[in-house]
Amino acid sequence: MTEETGRPPDAGAGTEALAAVLRPVRRAGNGFEEALEQVLQVLRLGLVPAGGRLPAERELAERLGISRVTLREVLRVLHDQGLVEARRGRYGGTFVLPGAEPAGAGELRRRMAGVDLEDVLRFREVLEVGAAGLCAAHGLAGGAAERLRAALAGTREAPLAEYRRRDTLLHLTLAELCGSPSLAERYAAVRATVNGLLDCIPLLVRNLEHSQAQHAALVTSVLDGDADGARETMREHCAGTAALLRGFLT
């Protein structure tokens, strides 16, 4: 509580610093992931101190350019990770818990040792976007098209515990079908690194829903021969994963 008002400390004193971190999300399709990344950065940088209150929901939603429904999903993730708590009453709001860090943060730091995250994410994007474009441009027919449809169906039917494995198989299938064994080999290596990091962050239902919608749009573009659409969908899909990884890194 502050001596002058009896109110808990909030983010008001750090408005300028918050403005440098909290900004409208760049991709509407990844609004949840990008908003979560930014709020996690606020916590990691200490812009709101332990025991301090985050800006009100309306202000946060406006700063991030997202709906309050999406913002509440972001805050729910932070609560589930033990980073914040909601309090009711006259001086209620969302408060930062002292000494908290995302679950698995220690293991994530260990796995990050010696890994250049930005290099991994950019290389992954180049390979994935390239593979999607090649598959669409060259066309998939017969057994190749059926393999891709089956891989998509596998992600759609996967239980939560199996989702990341099935997701990996879908992406590997796309890389294998692009016609470049060298690309497929390099993608397998970079995907192994990405999976090692993803295993340290929680599976988020909203993110998985986004991923599935993007997977379906991607496969449709590839099978329709829409190379530009396939590349853009894959680029957005990679950006969502990148936002989550950047957000959870400490």
Side-chain angles (χ1 to χ4, degrees), residues 37 39-47 246-250:
E37 175 191 9
V39 179
L40 281 167
Q41 286 176 348
V42 166
L43 301 185
R44 192 166 65 245
L45 293 170
L47 299 182
R246 292 187 184 108
F248 277 99
L249 290 177
T250 55

Side-chain angles (χ1 to χ4, degrees), residues 24-110:
V25 299
R26 294 161 295 180
R27 297 173 182 265
N30 290 329
F32 167 77
E33 290 85 357
E34 291 191 15
L36 179 58
E37 175 191 9
Q38 292 184 44
V39 179
L40 281 167
Q41 286 176 348
V42 166
L43 301 185
R44 192 166 65 245
L45 293 170
L47 299 182
V48 178
R53 179 171 52 193
L54 291 174
E57 283 188 8
R58 180 177 179 180
E59 180 185 349
L60 265 180
E62 288 177 352
R63 284 178 179 269
L64 294 166
I66 58 175
S67 70
R68 292 179 73 171
V69 171
T70 298
L71 176 63
R72 285 168 187 156
E73 292 179 330
V74 169
L75 296 178
R76 187 178 301 116
V77 170
L78 300 179
H79 177 271
D80 291 345
Q81 290 293 297
L83 301 175
V84 302
E85 68 176 4
R87 300 176 191 168
R88 298 182 180 276
R90 181 180 179 186
Y91 298 128
T94 302
F95 292 79
V96 178
L97 292 174
E101 64 177 4
E107 175 64 14
L108 187 56
R109 283 194 295 269
R110 186 188 69 77

Side-chain angles (χ1 to χ4, degrees), residues 147-174 187 191 195 199 203 208 211-212 215 219 237:
R147 277 190 64 194
L148 188 59
R149 290 192 185 98
L152 175 63
T155 62
R156 193 164 47 233
E157 299 164 0
L160 196 61
E162 274 281 291
Y163 185 82
R164 281 191 177 144
R165 188 179 72 83
R166 300 280 185 88
D167 174 68
T168 298
L169 290 174
L170 171 62
H171 286 265
L172 283 173
T173 298
L174 197 65
Y187 176 69
R191 180 69 191 219
N195 280 3
D199 285 344
L203 282 166
L208 299 189
S211 291
Q212 277 307 101
H215 285 160
V219 170
H237 186 59

Side-chain angles (χ1 to χ4, degrees), residues 95-214:
F95 292 79
V96 178
L97 292 174
E101 64 177 4
E107 175 64 14
L108 187 56
R109 283 194 295 269
R110 186 188 69 77
R111 295 191 185 192
M112 277 297 299
V115 174
D116 184 334
L117 179 64
E118 291 305 316
D119 179 61
V120 169
L121 294 177
R122 289 170 186 168
F123 190 43
R124 181 220 175 173
E125 181 179 341
V126 167
L127 295 177
E128 294 248 38
V129 170
L134 285 170
C135 284
H138 294 168
L140 297 181
E146 286 308 310
R147 277 190 64 194
L148 188 59
R149 290 192 185 98
L152 175 63
T155 62
R156 193 164 47 233
E157 299 164 0
L160 196 61
E162 274 281 291
Y163 185 82
R164 281 191 177 144
R165 188 179 72 83
R166 300 280 185 88
D167 174 68
T168 298
L169 290 174
L170 171 62
H171 286 265
L172 283 173
T173 298
L174 197 65
E176 291 169 2
L177 294 175
C178 79
S180 171
S182 295
L183 186 152
E185 178 184 352
R186 285 162 176 76
Y187 176 69
V190 77
R191 180 69 191 219
T193 300
V194 170
N195 280 3
L197 302 178
L198 286 173
D199 285 344
C200 292
I201 70 175
L203 282 166
L204 307 176
V205 173
R206 179 65 181 271
N207 170 247
L208 299 189
E209 292 172 348
H210 283 170
S211 291
Q212 277 307 101
Q214 290 166 343

